[in-house]
Structure formats: structure tokens, C-alpha cells
Amino acid sequence: MSMDLALSVARSGLRLLDRQMARTADDIANAGTEGHTRKILDGRAISANGAGLGVRTGMPVRDVDLALQDAGARAGGDVAAGELRTRLLAAVETAHGRPEDGDSIGGLLSGLRAALGTLREAPEDPMRRGAVVQAAQDLAARYNGTAAAIAAVRQQAHDALVEEAAAANRALAEIGALTIDIRREFAAGRPAADLEDRRDTAIARLAGSLDISVLRGRMGEVTVVGRGGIVLPFGVGEAFSVAPATVAPGTFHGGAGTLPGVMLNGQDITRRMVGGRFGAAAELRDLTLPRMQAEIDLSAAHTASRFAAQGLRLFTDAANTVPDVTVPYAGSAMLGFAGAIRVNPAVAADPALVRDGTNAIVALPGGPSAFVPNPAGGPAGFATLLDRLLSFTFGREAAPGAAQPPIASGGLGPDGTLVSTLSGLGTLEVHGGALVAAQAGARAAAEQGYGRAVALSELLAARSEARSGVDVDREVAVMVELQNAYTVNARVVATVQAMWDALFGAVR
């Protein structure tokens, strides 16, 4: 090997080592930077006719496991969805009160029945009559408060869709701009690893909005596909949009509904949204919360109806009416009744009516038996109504041998498409207790799912960090190795230089 060739080989080694040291220093400096991954800078041996000519320095590339990275992004989307569900459903759980304190719907129904039982022992006692009215007012207030909480959370779910559309648009715009830069660098033969790190960070943010898969090309291009085959576009302005709206108990999305959907370039994809905060918010707004609203409406409506059927219009709405519980829920007066239920003002003004009754009942086949209210000046110990209420309003039968109208479990929601798991629960107290357990338990179930998602996300993040992250101790060890190799190559250069100096000295 000639001295010129030896010097050239040593210089190529020094160039590679110089860039590798710079790469290592950069990794160490960015060890705590979000999204930064370890870079690899390799050399490729150059030879001709079997003779080594040195080493060619390559471009820095990322040391990443893309499959692990994509799995981590999807897990991050599950975390985002679980956090949203848990946070919003917590408000519904709080509105239901604490069953152990007896102030939930089921507990207050039991309290009302107990107050009526106490009054039955002394129907002439005005204090006991007042206690019944107070128990009824407490129950109506719990219905009102829980219905208001469900409505507020449903509005928050819609607002979350509006906010998420803006966040997804920002992420898509960033991904698109970075992809253009990455392709430009690839085409020019320049490194783009840092740009790819930034793009993956933006992709992870987008994965918080909805479940996505990423298809990567050889020249730095990517295609982002939502579950269900939705291809997400780059560089088209505001691709996602959700119009602001006021959510009411009777509003819904789809069909003849008035609630706006999630639009992607003018196409409604609400029913195709899966995963992330988009999927969670749409599910809450269109399925979970309308079902909860229907369940509490039915509880309130059947409570009012079963009292009125025995001769006491204890509960009414603002128009002083009681819903017909035998008609389908959608479009009926039952829709939103839990938010409107109140103690009949006539009963509140004259608590004696809880003993005497408010209206006569005509016996009909399969329905309650006949009843005539206690007339003015009638017996102070009138107990007929109280016996009817205790035996039938709170029982499974409207009269001996006549079953109560069933509490519907299908045809729910403002569009009549939802189904409840609360079926076959014949008494008001059993239905009320099951309702509270199911709706308050929804937050616990969401929190459990959130916890599992967090655990998986943390596991994948740890594996990704071990695989692609910067281990400072390892990088320092690499730096020492590079330093030793640099010293050896520099010694080669110095030796060749000394030989040249000796040669020139001999010639002179």
C-alpha cells in the first residue's frame, strides 16, 4: 500500500469517526428531548480489485422499531379515550349521590316508601304528611340534578368533538409539512432522521384523536389510515370539522336528527370513528349518555305514573301533566321528564292530599281498581290511599292480578334506537337501585379500562425507550471506543506524515 493510499484511508476513517462522535454527542444532548430517538451512523468499506480504499460515511438513520412505535401510538389513543370517558362520567356518578348514604334515586325511593309507611300508622299527623312531601321533593330534586348532569356531560362530549377536530387538523398539517421536508431531504441525499422524529411525535398526537395505522414509503412518504379504512389527507386545510351545537335531551345525530356529525372533507364519518378522544366523545354523546337519560326519564315517568294510577298525582311536570308510560319512549312526554319532574304544587301547598288523594280512579280491565278520594271533612284516619300506594305503587302489580306497565329497555334514546341493560326490573326501587349501580358504575368501568390502557402504554413506552431511546451510559461507552479508534487513525496519519518528512529530508 502506498503512503498516499494509507493517508487517504486513515483520513476517511477520521471523517467517519468525527461524524460518529458528533452523532453520539447529539444523542447525549437530546437524551431527555421528547420524541428523540437514537441515531446510527455506519460506514461502508470501499475496495477495488480486492484492495481496501477506506470507508465511506453513510447518513444517520434512526434506530427504531416501527411496529413497536405504532403499537405505542395506538395505546396512547386508548389512554386518551379512557381519560376522557373517566373524567366526563365522574360528573354523572357524583350527581347520583352516594347509595350508602341513601340519597341516590334508589335510596330516595325507599325513603319515600318509608315515609308513607310511617304516615300509614297515623294518617291524621300533619308532621308525617309533611315528611312525605319532603321525601318526594328530595326525590324530584335528585332526578332533576342527575338529568342536568347527564345533559351537561353530553354537551361537554359534543364540545370535545369540536375541540378534537381542531387538534386533529393541527396534527395533520404538521405531519404534511414535515413529510414534504423529509421527502425533499431524501431526494437531495441529505439526512432526515430528526425530521422523522418530529413527524412521529405529531403522529402520536394524532393517534390521541383516533385509532390510526401508518404506512411508510421508501422515500419518506407516509399514509395515515384510520380504522375502518379512512385515509386521512394532508395539506387540504381544515380536513376535520364539527359544528358547534347546543345538545338537548331530544337532539340526536343521524337520520332526522339535528346534531352535527364529524365531517372529513364534507363527508360524515361519525359512525366510523373508532378509538381516541374522537371515538370516546362520539360514543358518549350519541350512545352512552342518551341511554342514561332515557333510563332516568323512564324511572321518573313510571314513578309519577304509578302514583297517579292509584289516585295521587304526587309528581308532575311544569305543565302539571303526568307522562303516558304505555307509549314508545322516543318522541313522548317521557323524553326529558327527569329534568322536569316536580312535586305537584297542589300537594306541596296541601300535604293532606298525600292521605286523601287528588283524583278518582275508574277501574279498567288489567289496571288499578277504582278509587274515590277522601272527601273534604272526611275521616282523619283515611288509609285507603296509603294502602294502595304501599301495596301497588311500590309493588309489581297495579291491582291484584294486574301487572304494572313494564319499564321499557328497548326503543330508547331520542331516536328510539338504543337499548338498556335494565330489563325485567318490575318495582320502582329495584329499577332505581339498578339504574344507579349501572350509571355510577360506568365511571368505575371506564377507570378500569383507562388503568389497563395506561399500563399497556407505559409498558410499550418502556420497551420503545429501551429499543430506540438514548442510553447515556451506553453512549458514553461508545464515545470512549470512538476516541480510541480516533487516536489509532490519527497515529496512522502521523506515521505517514513522518515517513513523508523522512523521504523529503533524504531527497534534500
Side-chain angles (χ1 to χ4, degrees), residues 133-157:
V133 173
Q134 183 60 56
Q137 290 174 333
D138 291 343
L139 176 60
R142 179 61 69 187
Y143 277 125
N144 296 160
T146 307
I150 292 173
V153 171
R154 195 171 175 221
Q155 180 67 58
Q156 291 173 35

Side-chain angles (χ1 to χ4, degrees), residues 171-188:
L172 283 173
E174 185 174 356
I175 294 169
L178 288 169
T179 298
I180 293 174
D181 293 341
I182 291 168
R183 293 182 65 183
R184 183 185 301 117
E185 296 302 299
F186 268 67

